[in-house]
Amino acid sequence: MATRDNTSLVDLFVARATEAAAKVERIGRAASEVRAAVARATEGLSSLVVADGDYLQSDIFSSLRTIPQVIPKPTDDQLATADAGITEAFAGVARSGSICVAMGPPLRSAASLLMPLHVALLPVERIVLRPRELFEQTGIGAEAMQRNIIFVTGPSATADMGPLVRGVHGPHRLHILVLE
Amino acid sequence: MAAPPAPAEAYDAPRAVANKRDKSALLRAIRMALGIESDAIRRNTQTFNRNRYREAAALPDYEALKDEARAIKERAIGHLPDLLMTLETAIRARGGNFYLASTAADACRYILGVCQSHGAKLVVKGKSITSEEIRLNHTLEGAGIEVAESDLAEFILQVADEQPSHNVAPAMHYSTERISALFKRKFSTSEPLDTGEELTKFARGRLRQKFLKADVGFTGANLVAADTGTVMLVESEGNIRMSSLLPPVHISLAGVEKVIPAQSQMGVFLELLPLSFNGKLTSYISFLRPPLDDPPFALTGRPRKKREFHLVLIDNGRMKLRQDPVLQESLYCIRCSACMNCCANFQTVGGHAFGGETYCGGIGGAWEAGTGTLENARFSDLCTGCSRCVNNCPVRIDIPWLNEVLRDRLNRSSAGSPLASLLGIVSFVRGDDRRASAQKVFFANYHWYAKWGARTRAFANGVIRYGPARRLMESLVGVDVRREIPPFPAHPLVRAARNLPPLARAGKRAKVVLFPDVYTNYGLPQRGIATIKVLRALGVDVVVSDAIPEGRAALSQGMIATAKKHARHTADALLPYLDQGRDIIVIEPSALAMFRRDYRHLLADAARFDLLRTRTFDPVEYIARLSAKSGRPARDLFDLARSPVGSRLFVHSHCQQKTLGCAQPTEALLREIGFDVATSSVECCGMAGSFGYKKEYYEMSMAVGEDLFGQVRAAEAPDAGGARALVASGTSCTEQFHAGLGRPVLHPIELLAAILKL
Ligand code: SF4
Ligand code: SF4
């Protein structure tokens, strides 16, 4: 877990996630600052879905819901056609530039999968160095063992049609907001 | 080299040549692959390969991770029956269903039953090679259920009606142009279908609707943890996430060998499996314990059903494979594809030729034999035993050994021929081994022909250069007439060594015995002379042992009883030298690899193997060690200015040298002396011992060699500084250079002998 090497761990995370074609920003975690960053990230889009968090303070999510394009209680039909999903990330993995999404809470899975843009809010203290730390019996691993977890590294991609194409069935863009 | 391009219709369809029980199907598949698939296969596999090497090199504990993964798999397969019981309990405790299917038909019946119980009309499917093994689509479609393959590669294969050509990227034999032509033929649409982006967009659009409307989502599973029932799913496109999340019913199918004891062990595979494919974590790797607790998903007008989950594990021969003393190892396979991507033969023809109906590559033979019949593994003849996959396999499977054993069993199951028996009898082949083809018996005993060739030199050299005689040889034992057989020397190494001047100075530094392998002894004795000269100049006491076959030739033809006999005799002959305090020097890398790797399987006594393994060296590797030990820099021993070929070299290390780790010391030593060294990055030259000599594989061998020849050309381009001297340690690589570039080749030891300062 993030300790005194926090800075280099976060730097590594940012570098690797960027290499994996995610967009990464480091911001503060005041609700207003997060709201402004999400509003910028989703500018020009007309329908957003916000899923509740597990770890970040709840005022962040209530303030995100005041963004006008957010659909308050989306139906499944709306989920299938929305432009962007905003979710919390369960953890970040520095070495691979991945985030983890823990499934379960309403809208979380859909908001991280069905829309062309996924915006993930990653609390900086939840960044670990290597993927396998999520499988250790202590710390963040112990929590992860209880959940359905997805490691997300960059947007969905394929090389099946020849060249590398980003944006297949899953999100075409991944935007990670690291909350310090 | 390439045949003039022929239209695709001029070749067999991949499905028509998928089963290679009949060898002609293998040859037609090679022709097809070289004709239309090779370019895309090369590009894709070589990209995966480069990416894996780069990331593995950056991972400090790569070797330790492989040890860990191997240990977990050994334990898992060892305790499989218990694990299956634990897993069943875990799955049921969470409200899932567990089914252990004994055969392919049994699995299909169960899955169809689940679909029918829900009145399913549409099944959306993530990539699952295991579902290809059981021909699931056939069953479901036969019952009137629509199957939508949602992985884009599987989507292409479904449209084209072809089998996978690769474990992880099953349509990697398709170029954008060919996909574009295929889609334009099969779909009537106004959407553009030319670029990769357009094709992806088109497929995505069609499949999005399927995900939302599917009654059942079907996926494979990369691993399953027995303690918690956690399923690991690796992908990049998001289709597996959709298939496991959106439809109310999720069925996951896997072979029983995918079960490991604990979820906590999955972290090791999370780090190793995607790395071993393409270097990095793929976009999505899910660890799920279904049925999911996420609320069920339903568009307006569709029923909102409770989630249901079925884990279907399949035996289909695996439990029997588990009892097989050798092939059991194949069950450790995590299907990462590293052994395909690093295989020069696979890089050139892919899994339609180097593969069967479902499984492909070096590991594919064991899989096809295990889930089908032994004859299904016939394509594993394309494994040359080059050993490049051995260090790249994340669970350390000795893949060439599996293929040698398969070949041995195939030899034994065949009827044999009068010619093979005759050749076998005159050259002292072990009884049952004579049932192999005449070609295999011939190559396995090349030492015998070489010995008599040398004794009847004038006559024999006439024969190997006389066209009609060579054509006869081609038709009888399949030695391609286009290949040069090195002329038999006036003095084989053993005899020539006797004529060398006596020791100038007593060997105080070290004592060695030079083992005259058959290729050096009868083909290129000058390499042995050079070795003796350099070692003696460095103060080493050198003697030469008798020339005996060490067993490589027999092993590579799958004649294991004969190879064991050769190994035993060689060990008997050499161990007394070790007792005298001599190390062993072996010049031909494929022979060296016998001592260092393969004798593990051939010598009954592990202690003898260990002695030979640790005290046998490549000559240049040995010199580099001496130089390091004595603290005398190489520049004190060798003088670049005396080089007969200038200072610019192109060094191609033999595949076995690379695996044994003695390529790097040679390259480093030459650089230390001051040579400007360009190196090849190909996995293998394509000749690979007898492989390229065989008439039926000549074209393929030369196609493999094209990569090497291309690298030489690039290193000699005017802007790269122009010509270089070719340096290679392998006898086969030397012949391949002759055939492809028509140029002389030096062994590094010959070069060192020429520039000795002492
Ligand atoms: S030993 Fe060589 S030819 Fe055989 S599968 Fe491995 S890499 Fe391929
Ligand atoms: S044999 Fe080894 S390298 Fe080949 S696919 Fe299986 S695990 Fe990967």
Side-chain angles (χ1 to χ4, degrees), chain A residues 76-77 109 112 130 132 145 148-149 151 153 158 160-161 167 169, chain B residues 61 68 150 176 204 237 241 271 283 285 287 289 294 298 300:
Chain A
D76 286 356
D77 295 38
S109 302
S112 65
R130 22 191 326 174
R132 67 182 296 182
M145 296 287 242
N148 290 315
I149 291 275
F151 285 71
T153 313
T158 189
D160 287 340
M161 298 294 177
H169 304 300
Chain B
D61 56 352
E68 236 181 299
S150 62
T176 307
R204 175 206 303 146
E237 297 178 356
R241 289 181 69 189
E271 294 197 352
S283 303
I285 303 180
F287 294 88
R289 272 178 290 173
D294 295 59
T300 319

PDB file of all heavy atoms in Angstrom, chain A residues 76-77 109 112 130 132 145 148-149 151 153 158 160-161 167 169, chain B residues 61 68 150 176 204 237 241 271 283 285 287 289 294 298 300:
ATOM      1  N   ASP A  76     -32.667   0.618 -17.527  1.00  0.00           N
ATOM      2  CA  ASP A  76     -31.677  -0.167 -18.262  1.00  0.00           C
ATOM      3  C   ASP A  76     -31.583   0.299 -19.713  1.00  0.00           C
ATOM      4  O   ASP A  76     -30.510   0.256 -20.317  1.00  0.00           O
ATOM      5  CB  ASP A  76     -32.009  -1.662 -18.174  1.00  0.00           C
ATOM      6  CG  ASP A  76     -31.678  -2.213 -16.772  1.00  0.00           C
ATOM      7  OD1 ASP A  76     -31.129  -1.439 -15.955  1.00  0.00           O
ATOM      8  OD2 ASP A  76     -31.952  -3.397 -16.510  1.00  0.00           O
ATOM      9  N   ASP A  77     -32.686   0.761 -20.279  1.00  0.00           N
ATOM     10  CA  ASP A  77     -32.631   1.283 -21.652  1.00  0.00           C
ATOM     11  C   ASP A  77     -31.720   2.503 -21.709  1.00  0.00           C
ATOM     12  O   ASP A  77     -30.956   2.686 -22.665  1.00  0.00           O
ATOM     13  CB  ASP A  77     -34.038   1.669 -22.151  1.00  0.00           C
ATOM     14  CG  ASP A  77     -34.942   0.460 -22.277  1.00  0.00           C
ATOM     15  OD1 ASP A  77     -34.846  -0.436 -21.407  1.00  0.00           O
ATOM     16  OD2 ASP A  77     -35.727   0.396 -23.240  1.00  0.00           O
ATOM     17  N   SER A 109     -21.296  -1.723 -12.304  1.00  0.00           N
ATOM     18  CA  SER A 109     -20.803  -2.523 -13.418  1.00  0.00           C
ATOM     19  C   SER A 109     -21.186  -1.890 -14.743  1.00  0.00           C
ATOM     20  O   SER A 109     -20.356  -1.752 -15.647  1.00  0.00           O
ATOM     21  CB  SER A 109     -21.380  -3.939 -13.360  1.00  0.00           C
ATOM     22  OG  SER A 109     -21.034  -4.527 -12.139  1.00  0.00           O
ATOM     23  N   SER A 112     -19.280   1.266 -15.676  1.00  0.00           N
ATOM     24  CA  SER A 112     -17.871   1.095 -16.023  1.00  0.00           C
ATOM     25  C   SER A 112     -17.701   0.317 -17.324  1.00  0.00           C
ATOM     26  O   SER A 112     -16.584   0.058 -17.736  1.00  0.00           O
ATOM     27  CB  SER A 112     -17.136   0.373 -14.891  1.00  0.00           C
ATOM     28  OG  SER A 112     -17.645  -0.944 -14.754  1.00  0.00           O
ATOM     29  N   ARG A 130       2.030  -3.757  -7.327  1.00  0.00           N
ATOM     30  CA  ARG A 130       1.876  -4.805  -8.327  1.00  0.00           C
ATOM     31  C   ARG A 130       0.510  -5.475  -8.286  1.00  0.00           C
ATOM     32  O   ARG A 130      -0.162  -5.475  -7.258  1.00  0.00           O
ATOM     33  CB  ARG A 130       2.962  -5.874  -8.255  1.00  0.00           C
ATOM     34  CG  ARG A 130       3.690  -6.054  -7.004  1.00  0.00           C
ATOM     35  CD  ARG A 130       4.896  -6.944  -7.120  1.00  0.00           C
ATOM     36  NE  ARG A 130       4.804  -8.055  -8.076  1.00  0.00           N
ATOM     37  CZ  ARG A 130       5.820  -8.847  -8.360  1.00  0.00           C
ATOM     38  NH1 ARG A 130       6.983  -8.659  -7.778  1.00  0.00           N
ATOM     39  NH2 ARG A 130       5.685  -9.824  -9.217  1.00  0.00           N
ATOM     40  N   ARG A 132      -0.456  -8.508  -8.077  1.00  0.00           N
ATOM     41  CA  ARG A 132      -0.725  -9.612  -7.167  1.00  0.00           C
ATOM     42  C   ARG A 132      -1.010  -9.159  -5.748  1.00  0.00           C
ATOM     43  O   ARG A 132      -1.502  -9.944  -4.930  1.00  0.00           O
ATOM     44  CB  ARG A 132       0.404 -10.641  -7.202  1.00  0.00           C
ATOM     45  CG  ARG A 132       1.722 -10.155  -6.656  1.00  0.00           C
ATOM     46  CD  ARG A 132       2.780 -11.234  -6.791  1.00  0.00           C
ATOM     47  NE  ARG A 132       2.468 -12.419  -5.986  1.00  0.00           N
ATOM     48  CZ  ARG A 132       3.262 -13.478  -5.914  1.00  0.00           C
ATOM     49  NH1 ARG A 132       4.374 -13.524  -6.611  1.00  0.00           N
ATOM     50  NH2 ARG A 132       2.936 -14.507  -5.162  1.00  0.00           N
ATOM     51  N   MET A 145     -10.569  -9.855  -1.812  1.00  0.00           N
ATOM     52  CA  MET A 145     -10.965 -11.263  -1.849  1.00  0.00           C
ATOM     53  C   MET A 145     -12.468 -11.440  -1.656  1.00  0.00           C
ATOM     54  O   MET A 145     -13.024 -12.457  -2.022  1.00  0.00           O
ATOM     55  CB  MET A 145     -10.234 -12.031  -0.740  1.00  0.00           C
ATOM     56  CG  MET A 145      -8.748 -12.055  -0.917  1.00  0.00           C
ATOM     57  SD  MET A 145      -8.286 -13.149  -2.244  1.00  0.00           S
ATOM     58  CE  MET A 145      -7.338 -14.321  -1.331  1.00  0.00           C
ATOM     59  N   ASN A 148     -16.274  -9.110  -6.220  1.00  0.00           N
ATOM     60  CA  ASN A 148     -16.043  -9.408  -7.633  1.00  0.00           C
ATOM     61  C   ASN A 148     -15.261  -8.228  -8.196  1.00  0.00           C
ATOM     62  O   ASN A 148     -15.709  -7.085  -8.131  1.00  0.00           O
ATOM     63  CB  ASN A 148     -17.369  -9.559  -8.376  1.00  0.00           C
ATOM     64  CG  ASN A 148     -18.089 -10.828  -7.961  1.00  0.00           C
ATOM     65  OD1 ASN A 148     -17.483 -11.887  -7.867  1.00  0.00           O
ATOM     66  ND2 ASN A 148     -19.386 -10.713  -7.690  1.00  0.00           N
ATOM     67  N   ILE A 149     -14.076  -8.518  -8.709  1.00  0.00           N
ATOM     68  CA  ILE A 149     -13.139  -7.457  -9.064  1.00  0.00           C
ATOM     69  C   ILE A 149     -12.797  -7.527 -10.552  1.00  0.00           C
ATOM     70  O   ILE A 149     -12.598  -8.622 -11.089  1.00  0.00           O
ATOM     71  CB  ILE A 149     -11.820  -7.648  -8.267  1.00  0.00           C
ATOM     72  CG1 ILE A 149     -12.033  -7.366  -6.789  1.00  0.00           C
ATOM     73  CG2 ILE A 149     -10.691  -6.816  -8.812  1.00  0.00           C
ATOM     74  CD1 ILE A 149     -11.923  -5.908  -6.429  1.00  0.00           C
ATOM     75  N   PHE A 151      -9.915  -5.936 -13.185  1.00  0.00           N
ATOM     76  CA  PHE A 151      -8.745  -5.099 -13.463  1.00  0.00           C
ATOM     77  C   PHE A 151      -8.977  -4.444 -14.817  1.00  0.00           C
ATOM     78  O   PHE A 151      -9.178  -5.140 -15.811  1.00  0.00           O
ATOM     79  CB  PHE A 151      -7.468  -5.948 -13.518  1.00  0.00           C
ATOM     80  CG  PHE A 151      -6.980  -6.389 -12.176  1.00  0.00           C
ATOM     81  CD1 PHE A 151      -7.671  -7.354 -11.462  1.00  0.00           C
ATOM     82  CD2 PHE A 151      -5.843  -5.830 -11.624  1.00  0.00           C
ATOM     83  CE1 PHE A 151      -7.232  -7.765 -10.208  1.00  0.00           C
ATOM     84  CE2 PHE A 151      -5.393  -6.228 -10.365  1.00  0.00           C
ATOM     85  CZ  PHE A 151      -6.091  -7.195  -9.659  1.00  0.00           C
ATOM     86  N   THR A 153      -7.364  -1.991 -17.599  1.00  0.00           N
ATOM     87  CA  THR A 153      -6.121  -1.371 -18.042  1.00  0.00           C
ATOM     88  C   THR A 153      -6.371  -0.692 -19.381  1.00  0.00           C
ATOM     89  O   THR A 153      -6.458  -1.352 -20.411  1.00  0.00           O
ATOM     90  CB  THR A 153      -5.003  -2.437 -18.170  1.00  0.00           C
ATOM     91  OG1 THR A 153      -5.010  -3.243 -16.991  1.00  0.00           O
ATOM     92  CG2 THR A 153      -3.644  -1.791 -18.347  1.00  0.00           C
ATOM     93  N   THR A 158      -8.779  -3.913 -29.471  1.00  0.00           N
ATOM     94  CA  THR A 158      -8.624  -5.154 -30.233  1.00  0.00           C
ATOM     95  C   THR A 158      -7.600  -4.953 -31.322  1.00  0.00           C
ATOM     96  O   THR A 158      -7.408  -3.832 -31.808  1.00  0.00           O
ATOM     97  CB  THR A 158      -9.957  -5.594 -30.884  1.00  0.00           C
ATOM     98  OG1 THR A 158      -9.770  -6.899 -31.428  1.00  0.00           O
ATOM     99  CG2 THR A 158     -10.389  -4.665 -31.993  1.00  0.00           C
ATOM    100  N   ASP A 160      -7.772  -7.555 -33.585  1.00  0.00           N
ATOM    101  CA  ASP A 160      -8.279  -8.654 -34.411  1.00  0.00           C
ATOM    102  C   ASP A 160      -8.530  -8.250 -35.855  1.00  0.00           C
ATOM    103  O   ASP A 160      -8.528  -9.084 -36.755  1.00  0.00           O
ATOM    104  CB  ASP A 160      -9.571  -9.215 -33.816  1.00  0.00           C
ATOM    105  CG  ASP A 160      -9.307 -10.029 -32.551  1.00  0.00           C
ATOM    106  OD1 ASP A 160      -8.158 -10.468 -32.363  1.00  0.00           O
ATOM    107  OD2 ASP A 160     -10.239 -10.215 -31.754  1.00  0.00           O
ATOM    108  N   MET A 161      -8.791  -6.965 -36.092  1.00  0.00           N
ATOM    109  CA  MET A 161      -9.071  -6.528 -37.460  1.00  0.00           C
ATOM    110  C   MET A 161      -7.797  -6.025 -38.149  1.00  0.00           C
ATOM    111  O   MET A 161      -7.850  -5.369 -39.178  1.00  0.00           O
ATOM    112  CB  MET A 161     -10.134  -5.430 -37.455  1.00  0.00           C
ATOM    113  CG  MET A 161     -11.470  -5.883 -36.881  1.00  0.00           C
ATOM    114  SD  MET A 161     -12.268  -7.137 -37.928  1.00  0.00           S
ATOM    115  CE  MET A 161     -13.728  -7.504 -36.953  1.00  0.00           C
ATOM    116  N   GLY A 167     -11.500   0.961 -28.348  1.00  0.00           N
ATOM    117  CA  GLY A 167     -12.942   1.163 -28.343  1.00  0.00           C
ATOM    118  C   GLY A 167     -13.611   0.033 -29.079  1.00  0.00           C
ATOM    119  O   GLY A 167     -13.834   0.103 -30.279  1.00  0.00           O
ATOM    120  N   HIS A 169     -16.179  -3.347 -27.543  1.00  0.00           N
ATOM    121  CA  HIS A 169     -17.471  -3.477 -26.858  1.00  0.00           C
ATOM    122  C   HIS A 169     -17.517  -2.607 -25.601  1.00  0.00           C
ATOM    123  O   HIS A 169     -18.541  -2.050 -25.269  1.00  0.00           O
ATOM    124  CB  HIS A 169     -17.716  -4.942 -26.494  1.00  0.00           C
ATOM    125  CG  HIS A 169     -17.640  -5.855 -27.664  1.00  0.00           C
ATOM    126  ND1 HIS A 169     -18.477  -5.722 -28.752  1.00  0.00           N
ATOM    127  CD2 HIS A 169     -16.833  -6.902 -27.948  1.00  0.00           C
ATOM    128  CE1 HIS A 169     -18.188  -6.667 -29.649  1.00  0.00           C
ATOM    129  NE2 HIS A 169     -17.188  -7.394 -29.183  1.00  0.00           N
TER     130      HIS A 169
ATOM    131  N   ASP B  61      11.398 -10.448 -10.837  1.00  0.00           N
ATOM    132  CA  ASP B  61      11.222 -11.804 -10.312  1.00  0.00           C
ATOM    133  C   ASP B  61      10.501 -12.736 -11.292  1.00  0.00           C
ATOM    134  O   ASP B  61       9.774 -13.639 -10.898  1.00  0.00           O
ATOM    135  CB  ASP B  61      10.496 -11.772  -8.969  1.00  0.00           C
ATOM    136  CG  ASP B  61       9.154 -11.051  -9.052  1.00  0.00           C
ATOM    137  OD1 ASP B  61       8.865 -10.449 -10.106  1.00  0.00           O
ATOM    138  OD2 ASP B  61       8.396 -11.088  -8.068  1.00  0.00           O
ATOM    139  N   GLU B  68       6.884 -20.392  -9.051  1.00  0.00           N
ATOM    140  CA  GLU B  68       5.677 -20.401  -8.231  1.00  0.00           C
ATOM    141  C   GLU B  68       4.491 -20.975  -9.008  1.00  0.00           C
ATOM    142  O   GLU B  68       3.749 -21.809  -8.505  1.00  0.00           O
ATOM    143  CB  GLU B  68       5.364 -18.955  -7.826  1.00  0.00           C
ATOM    144  CG  GLU B  68       5.245 -18.728  -6.342  1.00  0.00           C
ATOM    145  CD  GLU B  68       4.910 -17.272  -6.044  1.00  0.00           C
ATOM    146  OE1 GLU B  68       5.727 -16.388  -6.406  1.00  0.00           O
ATOM    147  OE2 GLU B  68       3.845 -17.019  -5.480  1.00  0.00           O
ATOM    148  N   SER B 150     -18.869 -13.172 -29.885  1.00  0.00           N
ATOM    149  CA  SER B 150     -18.729 -11.726 -29.671  1.00  0.00           C
ATOM    150  C   SER B 150     -17.284 -11.267 -29.613  1.00  0.00           C
ATOM    151  O   SER B 150     -16.990 -10.087 -29.741  1.00  0.00           O
ATOM    152  CB  SER B 150     -19.460 -11.324 -28.384  1.00  0.00           C
ATOM    153  OG  SER B 150     -18.871 -11.973 -27.283  1.00  0.00           O
ATOM    154  N   THR B 176      -6.021  -7.297 -42.462  1.00  0.00           N
ATOM    155  CA  THR B 176      -7.161  -6.391 -42.654  1.00  0.00           C
ATOM    156  C   THR B 176      -7.780  -6.573 -44.045  1.00  0.00           C
ATOM    157  O   THR B 176      -9.000  -6.633 -44.190  1.00  0.00           O
ATOM    158  CB  THR B 176      -6.699  -4.927 -42.484  1.00  0.00           C
ATOM    159  OG1 THR B 176      -6.032  -4.811 -41.231  1.00  0.00           O
ATOM    160  CG2 THR B 176      -7.869  -3.969 -42.514  1.00  0.00           C
ATOM    161  N   ARG B 204     -18.850  -4.268 -33.946  1.00  0.00           N
ATOM    162  CA  ARG B 204     -19.336  -3.791 -32.661  1.00  0.00           C
ATOM    163  C   ARG B 204     -20.829  -3.472 -32.741  1.00  0.00           C
ATOM    164  O   ARG B 204     -21.620  -3.867 -31.882  1.00  0.00           O
ATOM    165  CB  ARG B 204     -18.551  -2.543 -32.270  1.00  0.00           C
ATOM    166  CG  ARG B 204     -19.017  -1.855 -31.012  1.00  0.00           C
ATOM    167  CD  ARG B 204     -18.654  -0.372 -31.042  1.00  0.00           C
ATOM    168  NE  ARG B 204     -17.225  -0.172 -31.231  1.00  0.00           N
ATOM    169  CZ  ARG B 204     -16.702   0.836 -31.913  1.00  0.00           C
ATOM    170  NH1 ARG B 204     -17.473   1.737 -32.502  1.00  0.00           N
ATOM    171  NH2 ARG B 204     -15.403   0.960 -32.013  1.00  0.00           N
ATOM    172  N   GLU B 237     -11.572  -6.851 -25.138  1.00  0.00           N
ATOM    173  CA  GLU B 237     -12.604  -6.138 -25.888  1.00  0.00           C
ATOM    174  C   GLU B 237     -13.796  -5.710 -25.046  1.00  0.00           C
ATOM    175  O   GLU B 237     -14.528  -4.804 -25.422  1.00  0.00           O
ATOM    176  CB  GLU B 237     -13.081  -7.024 -27.050  1.00  0.00           C
ATOM    177  CG  GLU B 237     -11.957  -7.314 -28.046  1.00  0.00           C
ATOM    178  CD  GLU B 237     -12.385  -8.234 -29.176  1.00  0.00           C
ATOM    179  OE1 GLU B 237     -13.536  -8.717 -29.170  1.00  0.00           O
ATOM    180  OE2 GLU B 237     -11.560  -8.453 -30.079  1.00  0.00           O
ATOM    181  N   ARG B 241     -16.960  -9.359 -20.346  1.00  0.00           N
ATOM    182  CA  ARG B 241     -17.661  -8.657 -19.263  1.00  0.00           C
ATOM    183  C   ARG B 241     -19.141  -8.560 -19.584  1.00  0.00           C
ATOM    184  O   ARG B 241     -19.998  -8.754 -18.727  1.00  0.00           O
ATOM    185  CB  ARG B 241     -17.079  -7.248 -19.074  1.00  0.00           C
ATOM    186  CG  ARG B 241     -15.690  -7.240 -18.464  1.00  0.00           C
ATOM    187  CD  ARG B 241     -15.180  -5.817 -18.292  1.00  0.00           C
ATOM    188  NE  ARG B 241     -15.899  -5.065 -17.261  1.00  0.00           N
ATOM    189  CZ  ARG B 241     -15.743  -3.759 -17.059  1.00  0.00           C
ATOM    190  NH1 ARG B 241     -14.903  -3.060 -17.823  1.00  0.00           N
ATOM    191  NH2 ARG B 241     -16.415  -3.143 -16.114  1.00  0.00           N
ATOM    192  N   GLU B 271      -0.189 -11.979 -12.979  1.00  0.00           N
ATOM    193  CA  GLU B 271       1.039 -11.328 -13.444  1.00  0.00           C
ATOM    194  C   GLU B 271       1.687 -12.077 -14.598  1.00  0.00           C
ATOM    195  O   GLU B 271       2.339 -11.471 -15.443  1.00  0.00           O
ATOM    196  CB  GLU B 271       2.019 -11.187 -12.265  1.00  0.00           C
ATOM    197  CG  GLU B 271       1.460 -10.230 -11.219  1.00  0.00           C
ATOM    198  CD  GLU B 271       2.497  -9.707 -10.232  1.00  0.00           C
ATOM    199  OE1 GLU B 271       3.641 -10.184 -10.245  1.00  0.00           O
ATOM    200  OE2 GLU B 271       2.133  -8.812  -9.457  1.00  0.00           O
ATOM    201  N   SER B 283      -6.878  -5.422 -21.415  1.00  0.00           N
ATOM    202  CA  SER B 283      -7.735  -4.344 -20.899  1.00  0.00           C
ATOM    203  C   SER B 283      -8.581  -4.780 -19.706  1.00  0.00           C
ATOM    204  O   SER B 283      -8.726  -4.038 -18.747  1.00  0.00           O
ATOM    205  CB  SER B 283      -8.658  -3.812 -21.991  1.00  0.00           C
ATOM    206  OG  SER B 283      -7.897  -3.362 -23.073  1.00  0.00           O
ATOM    207  N   ILE B 285      -9.485  -7.894 -16.913  1.00  0.00           N
ATOM    208  CA  ILE B 285      -9.287  -9.212 -16.311  1.00  0.00           C
ATOM    209  C   ILE B 285     -10.238  -9.291 -15.125  1.00  0.00           C
ATOM    210  O   ILE B 285     -10.112  -8.552 -14.147  1.00  0.00           O
ATOM    211  CB  ILE B 285      -7.824  -9.415 -15.895  1.00  0.00           C
ATOM    212  CG1 ILE B 285      -6.919  -9.220 -17.133  1.00  0.00           C
ATOM    213  CG2 ILE B 285      -7.639 -10.811 -15.293  1.00  0.00           C
ATOM    214  CD1 ILE B 285      -5.452  -9.378 -16.882  1.00  0.00           C
ATOM    215  N   PHE B 287     -12.326 -11.188 -12.041  1.00  0.00           N
ATOM    216  CA  PHE B 287     -12.312 -12.268 -11.053  1.00  0.00           C
ATOM    217  C   PHE B 287     -13.704 -12.284 -10.425  1.00  0.00           C
ATOM    218  O   PHE B 287     -14.035 -11.417  -9.623  1.00  0.00           O
ATOM    219  CB  PHE B 287     -11.237 -12.014  -9.990  1.00  0.00           C
ATOM    220  CG  PHE B 287      -9.845 -12.062 -10.564  1.00  0.00           C
ATOM    221  CD1 PHE B 287      -9.259 -10.924 -11.101  1.00  0.00           C
ATOM    222  CD2 PHE B 287      -9.136 -13.257 -10.593  1.00  0.00           C
ATOM    223  CE1 PHE B 287      -7.985 -10.970 -11.654  1.00  0.00           C
ATOM    224  CE2 PHE B 287      -7.866 -13.311 -11.157  1.00  0.00           C
ATOM    225  CZ  PHE B 287      -7.285 -12.165 -11.684  1.00  0.00           C
ATOM    226  N   ARG B 289     -17.229 -14.269  -8.782  1.00  0.00           N
ATOM    227  CA  ARG B 289     -17.844 -15.414  -8.122  1.00  0.00           C
ATOM    228  C   ARG B 289     -19.325 -15.395  -8.434  1.00  0.00           C
ATOM    229  O   ARG B 289     -20.138 -14.938  -7.635  1.00  0.00           O
ATOM    230  CB  ARG B 289     -17.612 -15.339  -6.609  1.00  0.00           C
ATOM    231  CG  ARG B 289     -16.308 -16.004  -6.220  1.00  0.00           C
ATOM    232  CD  ARG B 289     -16.061 -15.882  -4.752  1.00  0.00           C
ATOM    233  NE  ARG B 289     -15.754 -14.502  -4.405  1.00  0.00           N
ATOM    234  CZ  ARG B 289     -15.631 -14.070  -3.160  1.00  0.00           C
ATOM    235  NH1 ARG B 289     -15.832 -14.887  -2.155  1.00  0.00           N
ATOM    236  NH2 ARG B 289     -15.327 -12.813  -2.926  1.00  0.00           N
ATOM    237  N   ASP B 294     -24.990  -8.220  -8.709  1.00  0.00           N
ATOM    238  CA  ASP B 294     -25.475  -7.010  -9.396  1.00  0.00           C
ATOM    239  C   ASP B 294     -26.937  -7.223  -9.788  1.00  0.00           C
ATOM    240  O   ASP B 294     -27.330  -8.331 -10.127  1.00  0.00           O
ATOM    241  CB  ASP B 294     -24.675  -6.770 -10.679  1.00  0.00           C
ATOM    242  CG  ASP B 294     -23.225  -6.462 -10.381  1.00  0.00           C
ATOM    243  OD1 ASP B 294     -22.575  -7.328  -9.756  1.00  0.00           O
ATOM    244  OD2 ASP B 294     -22.754  -5.400 -10.769  1.00  0.00           O
ATOM    245  N   ALA B 298     -32.371  -5.717 -17.803  1.00  0.00           N
ATOM    246  CA  ALA B 298     -33.386  -6.052 -18.805  1.00  0.00           C
ATOM    247  C   ALA B 298     -33.880  -4.799 -19.510  1.00  0.00           C
ATOM    248  O   ALA B 298     -34.262  -3.826 -18.873  1.00  0.00           O
ATOM    249  CB  ALA B 298     -34.558  -6.770 -18.156  1.00  0.00           C
ATOM    250  N   THR B 300     -36.605  -2.679 -21.742  1.00  0.00           N
ATOM    251  CA  THR B 300     -38.065  -2.654 -21.710  1.00  0.00           C
ATOM    252  C   THR B 300     -38.627  -3.760 -22.596  1.00  0.00           C
ATOM    253  O   THR B 300     -38.139  -3.968 -23.705  1.00  0.00           O
ATOM    254  CB  THR B 300     -38.576  -1.307 -22.272  1.00  0.00           C
ATOM    255  OG1 THR B 300     -37.732  -0.290 -21.761  1.00  0.00           O
ATOM    256  CG2 THR B 300     -40.013  -1.047 -21.887  1.00  0.00           C
TER     257      THR B 300
END
